[in-house]
């Protein structure tokens, strides 16, 4: 992939993309979609990708300018402290002459003003570069899309644990309230002599265990929240709240996602490699263009002043137009080797594309199987939770009516807590499996 980035940079064709402005969340609760949008606006990798795209746009303008007419002007002034002279050969002197044997062709003051024009008439590499610019622009766009997809997946993986922990806390608070009510009732019965102290102690122990577990979750909540802040590049010292819940995010996916043909083209990695193959095709053409001649047209005009003083000199104008051509003839196989290397690089990218397609096929098949298993597991856990709730309610009724023991209540309570945890984890596993399947299918 690094070679493709280098090739795209050499062909000089980017996509101009302005960075998004980070939004101020304030104290508003954060949905998962809002968290993703915030991360896309603030993630440094995304911003760096946009900076590179903007820089590439400037590079393409720089490259394009080399094929457009160039106009330059210049000024040159020289004052000779001692005018250079040249010796006159003896054969140019009259026989017996005693005249000067050296002569100067310059005057003390020389001033030249000129303007030059140069433009390209034909250069094969320039025209190939123009075609490559359009392909490379799409390549950079896909690269940014792939980076955004990576950030999105990381935010989802950091957001879901926060929801799981929040739901756990809600269930624990509800269980603590219910157990506290039962403890109060049991304590009153114990004081009236209807139950033993052992029954009260069992409930106190269960309540202490729940309180300890809740305290641990409180500390873990800080950790997962910090992980979410880090994933979206949110300030660590600012308050952040989430608003989604696990059960509300459980939705049925389309049957086509589980049965249809794998849409490889949805994955930006595949499209990146496809675009890389197209860029390599142009690279082959670029190397072949080195066999073609280059032709440039040029024109210049200058005005020159010469004189021993600035008042008694003369002006001499000069104008010229012309063509220059460079015709490659033979370089001992250097150009041919570069063409062959470009072809080999193209074959390498094709092999990378084929390996990626095989890997995606395996990823999608495994993700579909994992989703089916997670969905079946959730259905089983929900049935188990319903049974555990009925058993718990029955044991409480029996205990209050004096036909059941506190041990049965504690056992039913533990089974209920375990069923609640299993059901919550099953929801979490299903959401993770759904997101993994969407990611494998290349869905946003």
């Amino acid at each position: 992939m690094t070679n493709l980035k280098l090739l795209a940079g050499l062909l000089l064709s980017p996509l101009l993309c302005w960075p998004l402005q980070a939004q101020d969340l304030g104290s508003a609760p954060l949905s998962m979609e809002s968290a993703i949008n915030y991360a896309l606006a603030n993630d440094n990798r995304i911003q760096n990708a946009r900076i590179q795209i903007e820089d590439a746009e400037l590079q393409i303008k720089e490259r394009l300018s080399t094929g457009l007419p160039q106009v330059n002007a210049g000024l040159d002034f020289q004052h000779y402290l001692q005018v250079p002279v040249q010796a006159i050969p003896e054969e140019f002197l009259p026989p017996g002459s005693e005249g000067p044997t050296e002569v100067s062709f310059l005057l003390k003051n020389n001033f030249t003003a000129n303007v030059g024009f140069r433009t390209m008439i034909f250069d094969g590499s320039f025209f190939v570069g123009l075609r490559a610019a359009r392909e490379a622009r799409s390549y950079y766009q896909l690269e940014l899309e792939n980076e955004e997809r990576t950030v999105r997946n990381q935010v989802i993986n950091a957001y879901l644990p926060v929801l799981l922990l929040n739901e756990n806390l809600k269930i624990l608070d509800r269980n603590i309230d219910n157990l506290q009510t039962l403890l109060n009732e049991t304590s009153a019965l114990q004081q009236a002599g209807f139950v033993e102290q052992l029954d009260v102690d069992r409930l106190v122990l269960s309540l202490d265990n729940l309180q300890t577990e809740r305290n641990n979750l409180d500390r873990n909540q800080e950790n997962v929240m910090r992980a979410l802040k880090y994933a979206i590049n949110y300030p660590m010292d600012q308050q952040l709240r989430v608003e989604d819940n696990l059960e509300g995010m459980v939705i049925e996916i389309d049957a086509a996602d589980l049965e249809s043909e794998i849409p490889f083209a949805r994955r930006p990695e595949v499209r990146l490699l496809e675009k890389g193959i197209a860029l390599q095709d142009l690279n082959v053409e670029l190397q072949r263009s080195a066999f073609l001649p280059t032709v440039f047209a040029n024109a210049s005009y200058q005005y020159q002043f010469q004189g021993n003083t600035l008042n008694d000199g003369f002006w001499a104008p000069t104008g010229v137009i012309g063509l220059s051509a460079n015709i490659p003839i033979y370089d001992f196989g250097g150009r041919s080797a570069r063409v062959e290397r470009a072809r080999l690089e193209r074959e390498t990218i094709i092999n990378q594309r084929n390996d990626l397609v095989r890997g995606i096929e395996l990823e999608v098949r495994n993700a579909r199987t994992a989703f089916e298993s997670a969905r079946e597991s959730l259905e089983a856990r929900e049935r188990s939770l319903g049974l555990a709730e009925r058993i718990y309610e029955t044991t409480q009724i029996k205990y209050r009516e004096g036909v059941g023991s506190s041990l049965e209540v504690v056992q039913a309570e533990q089974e209920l807590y375990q069923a609640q945890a299993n059901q919550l984890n099953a929801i979490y596993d299903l959401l993770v499996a759904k997101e993994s399947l969407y990611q494998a299918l290349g869905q946003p």
Side-chain angles (χ1 to χ4, degrees):
M1 194 66 70
T2 302
N3 291 336
L4 291 181
K5 293 180 181 179
L6 178 60
L7 174 63
L10 292 175
L11 294 176
L12 300 176
S13 176
L15 172 69
L16 183 61
C17 182
W18 299 101
L20 298 175
Q21 295 295 323
Q23 59 181 358
D24 183 12
L25 296 180
S27 59
L30 190 69
S31 66
M32 187 166 72
E33 196 60 35
S34 298
I36 292 172
N37 292 335
Y38 185 90
L40 293 178
N42 293 276
D43 190 275
N44 291 327
R45 291 165 298 178
I46 299 294
Q47 294 183 9
N48 288 339
R50 292 187 178 117
I51 290 173
Q52 290 176 355
I53 290 173
E54 186 175 355
D55 178 68
E57 181 70 20
L58 297 176
Q59 290 185 47
I60 190 174
K61 291 181 180 179
E62 179 183 351
R63 175 65 182 269
L64 288 173
S65 67
T66 62
L68 301 177
Q70 309 288 315
V71 180
N72 296 288
L75 297 173
D76 183 39
F77 174 76
Q78 292 178 327
H79 174 76
Y80 290 99
L81 299 177
Q82 185 172 352
V83 177
V85 296
Q86 291 182 339
I88 301 177
E90 292 182 1
E91 55 267 26
F92 291 103
L93 295 175
S97 173
E98 297 181 355
T101 59
E102 55 185 28
V103 64
S104 174
F105 295 96
L106 296 173
L107 300 179
K108 287 187 176 182
N109 296 296
N110 290 271
F111 176 79
T112 302
N114 64 79
V115 60
F117 171 86
R118 178 180 172 87
T119 186
M120 183 195 71
I121 295 180
F122 178 80
D123 185 344
S125 64
F126 175 79
F127 294 104
V128 174
L130 289 180
R131 291 171 53 200
R134 291 187 290 269
E135 294 293 334
R137 177 176 288 109
S138 300
Y139 179 86
Y140 281 105
Q141 185 177 14
L142 287 172
E143 193 174 58
L144 177 61
E145 179 184 338
N146 188 50
E147 194 68 46
E148 290 175 341
R149 178 175 178 269
T150 299
V151 171
R152 178 185 179 89
N153 295 342
Q154 291 178 349
V155 173
I156 292 173
N157 293 336
Y159 192 91
L160 289 179
V162 175
L163 298 184
L164 176 63
L165 194 141
N166 287 348
E167 292 298 323
N168 266 311
L169 285 174
K170 292 178 182 178
I171 292 176
L172 273 176
D173 287 338
R174 188 163 61 247
N175 291 337
I176 288 173
D177 290 341
N178 294 337
L179 190 57
Q180 184 65 58
T181 300
L182 181 60
L183 176 60
N184 294 337
E185 295 176 355
T186 304
S187 297
L189 292 174
Q190 189 272 333
Q191 292 176 3
F194 293 105
V195 297
E196 300 179 358
Q197 180 64 39
L198 179 61
D199 296 329
V200 176
D201 293 340
R202 284 174 178 162
L203 295 177
V204 170
L205 178 60
S206 296
L207 186 60
D208 287 343
N209 290 336
L210 288 182
Q211 290 287 1
T212 301
E213 185 176 352
R214 195 195 187 288
N215 292 337
N216 291 334
L217 285 182
D218 272 335
R219 287 187 287 269
N220 290 333
Q221 187 181 38
E222 297 176 2
N223 293 334
V224 295
M225 188 59 72
R226 278 192 291 265
L228 175 60
K229 290 179 180 179
Y230 179 81
I232 67 175
N233 201 21
Y234 190 81
M236 290 290 180
D237 57 347
Q238 292 188 17
Q239 191 71 21
L240 182 63
R241 295 185 296 119
V242 299
E243 67 176 3
D244 288 326
N245 61 81
L246 285 178
E247 294 186 0
M249 298 178 67
V250 176
I251 57 174
E252 188 63 33
I253 67 174
D254 294 336
D257 292 332
L258 297 173
E259 302 171 357
S260 63
E261 293 293 326
I262 299 175
F264 296 103
R266 283 185 184 175
R267 293 286 290 264
E269 307 99 306
V270 175
R271 284 179 283 151
L272 271 173
L273 289 176
E274 293 285 357
K275 191 63 65 176
I277 294 172
L279 287 171
Q280 280 299 333
D281 288 335
L282 291 171
N283 190 28
V284 172
E285 289 189 43
L286 181 65
Q287 301 306 325
R288 285 176 175 168
S289 67
F291 290 92
L292 301 175
T294 58
V295 182
F296 285 83
N298 54 73
S300 64
Y301 184 85
Q302 70 175 24
Y303 216 60
Q304 186 179 40
F305 169 85
Q306 290 190 16
N308 285 323
T309 68
L310 297 178
N311 296 324
D312 62 355
F314 68 94
W315 292 89
T318 303
V320 62
I321 61 173
L323 291 174
S324 62
N326 179 38
I327 305 173
I329 297 178
Y330 186 67
D331 68 345
F332 294 91
R335 287 186 292 268
S336 297
R338 286 190 289 273
V339 172
E340 208 50 43
R341 289 186 62 196
R343 287 175 178 167
L344 292 176
E345 183 64 26
R346 181 181 183 276
E347 292 298 322
T348 300
I349 299 175
I350 291 176
N351 292 335
Q352 292 176 351
R353 189 269 315 273
N354 294 338
D355 286 341
L356 177 62
V357 168
R358 290 176 59 249
I360 290 175
E361 182 178 5
L362 176 63
E363 182 182 353
V364 170
R365 291 183 184 277
N366 290 343
R368 285 173 172 174
T369 301
F371 179 81
E372 292 283 8
S373 299
R375 182 166 58 183
E376 293 174 1
S377 177
L378 176 58
E379 293 172 356
R381 297 302 185 185
E382 288 177 341
R383 290 194 299 269
S384 298
L385 177 59
L387 290 173
E389 288 175 343
R390 287 199 297 272
I391 292 172
Y392 182 66
E393 291 172 359
T394 301
T395 54
Q396 280 191 320
I397 294 173
K398 290 174 59 178
Y399 179 72
R400 290 190 177 98
E401 293 178 352
V403 294
S405 67
S406 62
L407 181 59
E408 290 178 339
V409 174
V410 172
Q411 289 176 342
E413 167 200 327
Q414 297 299 326
E415 291 172 356
L416 174 61
Y417 298 160
Q418 186 63 49
Q420 290 171 336
N422 291 340
Q423 188 253 2
L424 198 57
N425 288 329
I427 293 176
Y428 175 79
D429 291 341
L430 180 62
L431 290 176
V432 170
K434 182 194 72 173
E435 293 299 333
S436 297
L437 178 57
Y438 283 171
Q439 292 169 16
L441 294 172
Q443 294 189 11

